[in-house]
Amino acid sequence: MSTNGARILVVAGDGAPGERLRALGAGSGGYTVDCVAGAAQARAAAVASPPHFVLAQDRLPDGTAAGLLRGGEGLAGTSFAVVSDDPGAPEVRDALEAGALDCLAPGELSPENLPALVARLHRVAGGLAARRQAEAERDEYRRRLDLITGNLGVGFALVSRDYRIQWANDTLRDVFGEVAGAVCHEAFNRRPDVCPGCGVREVFDGGAERVVREQRHYDTAGRPVWFEVLAAPVRDAGGAVTGAMELLVPLTERKRAEERLARHLEHERLLAEVAAAAVRTGAPERFQEECVALLSRALDVSRIYVFEHRVATDTMDNTVEWVAPGVSPERERLQGVPATATPWWMKELRADRVISCADLEEIPGEGEREILRSQGIRAVLAVPLFVGDRYFGFLGFDECRGPRRWLPEDVELLRTVGSFLSIILERRRAEETLRASEARYRKLSDEFHAVLDAIPDTLILQSPQMEILWANRGAALGVRREPRELVGRRCYEIWHNRDRPCDPCPVRECLASGEFAECCTTDPEGRIWELRAVPLRDDGGGMLGTIELARDITARRQAEAEREALIAELRSRNEALDQFTYTVSHDLKGPLTTIRGFAGLMEREAREGRAERARGYARQIGAAAERMQRLLDDLLGLSRIGRLTHAPVPVSLLEVAREAAASFAVQAAERGVEVEIAPDLPVVRGDPTRLREVLENLLGNAVKFLGDEPHPSVRVGWRAHAARPVFYVRDNGVGIAPEQRERVFGLFEKLDPHSPGTGIGLAIVKRIVEVHGGRIWVESEGRGTGCTFCFTLGEADRG
């Protein structure tokens, strides 16, 4: 664009810069110069007539040059310059970031200098436009190159002479992330210096025209990836090398397949050598050392080791260890490690679960993480070892160089080697146990056979597998066999006809704990046996088996039960006798005192001729005597409760309840009491006379204590229970406080001293129920809530 006749918009504020800007309009020199005083006027002027150049002061009365540039209509495409006497001011920086081409000092502004300033802005604008065009063309070229190379599935990277990546296509970005600007050896190989055999270096330093290498790199997740890398020079128009183009053809899938195949073949060869060592080597210690040595030659790990669990002390010992060069050995300090320090670790291994942790922080147990951190471990793989069904220890790998994802074939290899080791250990343990057992059993047989045969109780010697190794004659006589016929069998098969141990079983408990165990059991014939199991150990403390003693204690238990029952009954009767003696003496004193007092008064009145008053005293004496008679009758009835009037027979509780209710029909009618009897009361076994006494007492008690209830009611019913039915007599009367529930069944107990009766009725009911093998209790929430008297009868007495 020619600058002749250009329209210039000057936006002037206050101060010296504003004055210099306004002075530009004096001598236009062929330009059209419009002068405005602020941002608002500038926007309006730009809309009316778009300018070619804008010269704006950095600070304006109503804004800033940057604000005008960002929001001014009609200013798009103009060459904009900011004027300030402080080129470092924030407003200046803001204007330049918004798109201003230059910052002019006020001293540069004069009508004479205006053509030079316009030419300067024109050059800057032209250079900026050319640069933007070049960048747009470059971006379009790279977009098209990304599209082409992306469809090929091949990586392309443009590398400068300082090994910085100028551009990389999508294929490389998908593998390595955003690498533009990074040096290639860091981006592709995580190296601080140039890679050995670098093709780019050969292009730059050696002048090679084409270099092809097969190289391993690492992706963003740290996994190895393989490429065939071709490096070629990039030249300028004069033929000078300005950079290098790298072409990376993916080989990862092929390489991984080749590695899997090689690893599979190596594992097969290793397992063949381990199997040969298992056949060749008899000693487990020697076999462990050979296994670790073989594994160390085949696997790239930091440590390989075997740990054994010591049952007696519940600790772990590192028994065999191999470490890679530069890795510290840990065997010496990993002796006697308490199993309680690694609870999660022990739980997993004892459950026969493999511990496979690609990163130490994946392990949930804090104690385990601390122990592994102290050994520099970053990843760990461990498989449990079992001898038979007993946990022996574990075989493991450590990785100290960083996190490592263990492959399925790594786990399978370790599992297989561990199974060989378990077989060797089990074979050695079986041989040792057999030799020790034979010697021990022979010695025992020679020294104690005759003595043990003389014991009348059952005595048997059992292996850790609960097989009978020896039995005395007492055991054989109990099943009518010869002792040799019991050998090789199991006690629960012979005595209980079962296919698994009994529960409880002292032998099984003794084998599990290594301690003395005992229990009592009842056989199908109802006889009670006392069973005791004692551990039998070798000289080293190992379990050889158990000695079990079984004794028939049926007669002793029966005698003990009878004795306890007699003691309990005697204690109860003594307590009842004490209470009875005290209560009778107390309650009989009342009527006697009344009789004695009124007899003296009657004698005095008769002497003085007052016959009518004497007759009144005589009536009082008669009432006291009658009360004493009732008391004596109740006591006599209570004394007879211990025996039934009739032998137990089937009794319709419904008929008995109706008979008992009929005896209170008059009182119930006078009081307006509704008496309800459940029609489905069952038939029971018992003494009908005594059972009628129970219901009569409970019904009479209910009617007596209905209180002022406006709608009194009494119900006789029953409810089902797991063991036996529960019968009840329920009323809606005055109720009983919770703390008084047991007291009401006491002899001569009367919660209301002014109520009629002797206080023996409920004691009689309790005694009758207990004679029938049941129990009685009261349910009530307190005053005004009514009462429910519940009782049961012996299960054996039900019809």
Side-chain angles (χ1 to χ4, degrees):
M1 179 192 76
S2 172
T3 61
N4 293 330
R7 180 178 295 280
I8 301 172
L9 178 63
V10 174
V11 187
D14 300 327
E19 294 177 2
R20 299 299 297 267
L21 278 168
R22 283 189 289 273
L24 292 177
S28 60
Y31 300 109
T32 301
V33 180
D34 295 328
C35 244
V36 296
Q41 295 178 16
R43 292 189 184 97
V47 171
S49 180
H52 297 103
F53 296 94
V54 178
L55 304 180
Q57 192 173 343
D58 58 347
R59 300 182 186 88
L60 300 172
D62 56 352
T64 64
L68 175 62
L69 183 58
R70 289 193 176 99
E73 296 84 349
L75 297 178
T78 61
S79 297
F80 193 106
V82 60
V83 178
S84 175
D85 53 7
D86 181 8
E91 292 82 1
V92 174
R93 290 197 304 270
D94 197 13
L96 293 173
E97 289 176 359
L101 299 177
D102 204 353
C103 176
L104 304 177
E108 298 179 79
L109 304 178
S110 66
E112 298 78 11
N113 198 30
L114 188 59
L117 292 176
V118 171
R120 173 178 163 184
L121 293 177
H122 182 62
R123 286 194 303 273
V124 173
L128 179 62
R131 186 166 67 251
R132 287 175 177 170
Q133 177 65 26
E135 288 176 353
E137 292 175 356
R138 183 194 63 192
D139 290 343
E140 177 62 18
Y141 173 77
R142 289 184 176 179
R143 187 188 68 79
R144 293 180 179 179
L145 191 59
D146 275 341
L147 182 63
I148 295 171
T149 60
N151 290 332
L152 293 176
V154 177
F156 287 87
L158 180 62
V159 184
S160 64
R161 293 191 69 88
D162 60 355
Y163 298 98
R164 293 202 174 272
I165 301 171
Q166 303 299 307
W167 166 81
N169 71 341
D170 288 341
T171 301
L172 290 186
R173 287 195 291 270
D174 290 343
V175 177
F176 301 105
E178 185 54 61
V179 294
V183 293
C184 58
H185 43 267
E186 288 181 352
F188 298 152
N189 290 311
R190 299 184 178 184
R191 291 179 56 91
D193 51 3
V194 178
C195 305
C198 174
V200 173
R201 181 167 58 185
E202 291 190 26
V203 167
F204 289 146
D205 299 344
E209 289 296 320
R210 184 172 181 271
V211 180
V212 180
R213 294 280 191 275
E214 190 175 281
Q215 294 181 349
R216 181 172 69 174
H217 305 277
Y218 293 92
D219 64 11
T220 55
R223 295 170 300 191
V225 290
W226 284 265
F227 291 94
E228 184 178 62
V229 182
L230 182 149
V234 175
R235 303 179 185 275
D236 59 14
V241 176
T242 59
M245 176 65 75
E246 281 195 301
L247 184 147
L248 290 83
V249 180
L251 301 177
T252 302
E253 290 304 319
R254 191 193 79 191
K255 280 291 187 179
R256 288 177 178 171
E258 290 174 354
E259 283 192 350
R260 284 195 296 269
L261 178 60
R263 194 161 47 242
H264 178 72
L265 294 174
E266 177 63 20
H267 285 183
E268 285 190 347
R269 182 194 62 76
L270 176 63
L271 291 177
E273 292 185 12
V274 170
V279 174
R280 178 178 67 251
T281 306
E285 293 79 7
R286 177 61 182 161
F287 178 68
Q288 291 180 37
E289 293 174 356
E290 288 199 28
C291 282
V292 167
L294 290 170
L295 290 170
S296 69
R297 292 197 294 270
L299 299 173
D300 180 22
V301 294
S302 299
R303 290 192 194 95
I304 307 172
Y305 46 78
V306 177
F307 271 78
E308 183 174 351
H309 179 249
R310 309 297 185 186
V311 178
T313 57
D314 197 24
T315 56
M316 296 180 291
D317 291 344
N318 185 331
T319 56
V320 179
E321 180 188 56
W322 171 89
V323 296
V327 177
S328 62
E330 299 289 339
R331 180 180 176 184
E332 292 301 321
R333 73 184 191 91
L334 293 178
Q335 303 297 317
V337 179
T340 54
T342 56
W344 174 83
W345 186 279
M346 295 301 297
K347 178 182 177 182
E348 293 297 297
L349 294 176
R350 281 175 167 154
D352 199 17
R353 289 193 283 266
V354 174
I355 295 176
S356 177
C357 291
D359 192 312
L360 173 67
E361 300 308 316
E362 296 177 1
I363 295 178
E366 179 59 32
E368 287 83 349
R369 290 199 298 271
E370 287 300 321
I371 291 175
L372 296 178
R373 283 194 197 102
S374 69
Q375 302 171 55
I377 297 172
R378 300 292 302 280
V380 64
L381 175 64
V383 299
L385 301 175
F386 283 83
V387 178
D389 57 356
R390 185 176 70 82
Y391 172 70
F392 173 84
F394 59 93
L395 170 65
F397 297 157
D398 287 347
E399 181 56 71
C400 300
R401 292 166 292 190
R404 173 171 177 168
R405 189 176 304 279
W406 301 102
L407 301 174
E409 48 264 39
D410 295 333
V411 178
E412 184 62 28
L413 173 66
L414 207 58
R415 273 283 201 189
T416 305
V417 174
S419 66
F420 280 117
L421 183 54
S422 294
I423 292 171
I424 294 294
L425 290 167
E426 188 169 4
R427 184 176 69 189
R428 197 273 298 273
R429 182 66 54 87
E431 291 173 352
E432 291 179 351
T433 301
L434 179 61
R435 287 194 296 270
S437 297
E438 288 175 350
R440 185 68 174 172
Y441 297 154
R442 191 179 302 110
K443 180 180 179 182
L444 287 174
S445 178
D446 293 341
E447 295 181 359
F448 300 111
H449 190 276
V451 175
L452 299 180
D453 259 349
I455 297 175
D457 299 322
T458 296
L459 187 65
I460 56 177
L461 182 64
Q462 301 185 53
S463 71
Q465 291 74 40
M466 299 184 69
E467 292 182 350
I468 297 175
L469 303 172
W470 177 88
N472 73 339
R473 189 157 296 279
L477 290 175
V479 291
R480 299 181 179 86
R481 297 182 183 181
E482 289 296 321
R484 63 177 179 276
E485 297 180 60
L486 308 184
V487 175
R489 303 187 63 186
R490 291 174 170 83
C491 62
Y492 50 82
E493 298 173 349
I494 299 171
W495 279 275
H496 300 281
N497 195 27
R498 292 169 57 95
D499 59 357
R500 59 177 58 87
C502 305
D503 190 14
C505 175
V507 174
R508 184 172 58 182
E509 182 180 342
C510 178
L511 289 170
S513 66
E515 303 293 336
F516 168 81
E518 63 179 340
C519 73
C520 287
T521 185
T522 303
D523 65 16
E525 297 179 359
R527 304 198 66 78
I528 303 172
W529 291 85
E530 180 182 69
L531 307 178
R532 296 182 177 182
V534 180
L536 184 64
R537 300 181 182 277
D538 58 22
D539 294 336
M543 285 284 289
L544 296 175
T546 62
I547 299 176
E548 182 182 14
L549 176 67
R551 177 171 294 165
D552 185 350
I553 60 170
T554 306
R556 189 181 79 191
R557 281 297 181 89
Q558 291 174 347
E560 291 174 353
E562 291 173 1
R563 183 188 66 191
E564 293 299 324
L566 289 173
I567 291 173
E569 182 178 1
L570 181 60
R571 184 181 298 112
S572 175
R573 292 196 177 191
N574 284 338
E575 292 174 356
L577 182 61
D578 289 344
Q579 181 188 7
F580 177 80
T581 302
Y582 170 78
T583 306
V584 168
S585 65
H586 178 272
D587 283 27
L588 287 179
K589 284 180 182 178
L592 289 175
T593 302
T594 300
I595 292 172
R596 187 182 303 110
F598 280 113
L601 291 173
M602 186 174 67
E603 180 182 0
R604 186 185 67 186
E605 298 298 333
R607 191 168 53 247
E608 296 178 1
R610 290 192 287 271
E612 185 60 34
R613 295 184 68 175
R615 282 194 293 273
Y617 293 144
R619 286 194 296 274
Q620 295 286 350
I621 292 172
E626 183 179 351
R627 180 170 177 271
M628 183 181 292
Q629 183 63 48
R630 288 200 306 272
L631 185 60
L632 292 173
D633 288 344
D634 284 347
L635 290 173
L636 181 61
L638 181 63
S639 69
R640 292 172 177 171
I641 297 303
R643 58 185 183 278
L644 299 178
T645 305
H646 303 94
V649 296
V651 179
S652 170
L653 209 58
L654 177 62
E655 295 300 325
V656 171
R658 287 174 176 170
E659 292 174 5
S663 64
F664 293 97
V666 176
Q667 295 95 313
E670 291 176 351
R671 179 67 177 83
V673 180
E674 179 185 355
V675 179
E676 180 184 356
I677 300 174
D680 60 344
L681 284 173
V683 174
V684 299
R685 288 185 62 83
D687 184 335
T689 302
R690 296 302 188 199
L691 294 178
R692 186 165 54 251
E693 287 183 54
V694 169
L695 291 177
E696 285 178 349
N697 270 287
L698 294 179
L699 285 169
N701 200 63
V703 172
K704 187 191 306 182
F705 293 104
L706 285 170
D708 298 328
E709 171 63 35
H711 303 290
S713 65
V714 178
R715 174 177 171 79
V716 181
W718 73 291
R719 59 178 181 254
H721 193 267
R724 61 189 72 180
V726 175
F727 307 100
Y728 61 83
V729 176
R730 178 182 298 140
D731 65 67
N732 61 347
V734 297
I736 297 174
E739 64 271 15
Q740 303 289 345
R741 292 175 189 166
E742 291 299 324
R743 182 183 164 196
V744 297
F745 296 106
L747 195 59
F748 302 112
E749 289 288 355
K750 296 174 64 178
L751 301 185
D752 181 2
H754 302 293
S755 63
T758 61
I760 298 180
L762 289 179
I764 291 175
V765 170
K766 182 174 184 291
R767 183 68 171 155
I768 293 174
V769 169
E770 289 175 347
V771 168
H772 278 77
R775 69 183 188 92
I776 186 168
W777 66 96
V778 62
E779 298 173 352
S780 177
E781 298 301 322
R783 286 289 177 180
T785 61
C787 289
T788 302
F789 281 86
C790 305
F791 65 92
T792 61
L793 300 174
E795 188 173 5
D797 294 333
R798 281 191 289 161

